[in-house]
Amino acid sequence: QVQLVESGGGLVQPGGSLRLSCAASGSIFSIYAMGWYRQAPGKERELVATVSSGGTTNYADSVKGRFTISRDNAKNTVYLQMNSLKSEDTAAYYCKANVLTITMKRGDYWGQGTQVTVSS
């Protein structure tokens, strides 16, 4: 069993910054790609950013240049640094990890979500 726990969300003014963290724990043998997704009210969940086990990053066009995804493999943690936040960034942010468990089963796991609200 694998658990992902997000933290760092909150209320911030437009132009401000937040740093999200997602720590994975449980029966983990190794973690492949990790990523962040978000879902605004009335909208489908969308990809924000991903980072591969080799460090290759990918970003949605809407956040490119403002957000930075990174990971600390020793801590099984992925981060999302969000700068120059806009009201349209308001959403619940979810962490995802592709995990190989100690029983050699591979699959995707999701966190519970953390709310980011950008408002003046």
Side-chain angles (χ1 to χ4, degrees), residues 3-59:
Q3 300 83 41
L4 274 63
V5 179
E6 301 105 329
S7 61
L11 175 64
V12 65
Q13 293 184 340
S17 298
L18 284 174
R19 181 176 172 87
L20 306 184
S21 299
C22 172
S25 62
S27 303
I28 298 170
F29 185 83
S30 63
I31 301 178
Y32 298 98
M34 304 184 80
W36 289 94
Y37 295 72
R38 67 187 182 188
Q39 188 166 23
K43 300 289 187 179
E44 293 185 349
R45 189 170 298 186
E46 65 176 356
L47 183 147
V48 176
T50 60
V51 56
S52 73
S53 59
T56 300
T57 58
N58 181 57
Y59 298 92

Side-chain angles (χ1 to χ4, degrees), residues 36-117:
W36 289 94
Y37 295 72
R38 67 187 182 188
Q39 188 166 23
K43 300 289 187 179
E44 293 185 349
R45 189 170 298 186
E46 65 176 356
L47 183 147
V48 176
T50 60
V51 56
S52 73
S53 59
T56 300
T57 58
N58 181 57
Y59 298 92
D61 288 341
S62 59
V63 308
K64 202 167 298 180
R66 300 187 298 120
F67 291 10
T68 302
I69 189 170
S70 61
R71 64 192 289 171
D72 185 336
N73 292 328
K75 297 180 179 179
N76 287 338
T77 299
V78 63
Y79 306 93
L80 186 68
Q81 179 66 48
M82 304 185 293
N83 299 325
S84 302
L85 283 161
K86 307 173 181 179
S87 60
E88 49 262 49
D89 296 317
T90 296
Y93 284 71
Y94 297 87
C95 174
K96 186 178 79 171
N98 188 251
V99 176
L100 181 67
T101 69
I102 59 174
T103 58
M104 298 296 112
K105 299 191 71 174
R106 184 170 177 176
D108 290 335
Y109 294 83
W110 290 87
Q112 83 287 353
T114 185
Q115 179 67 37
V116 172
T117 302

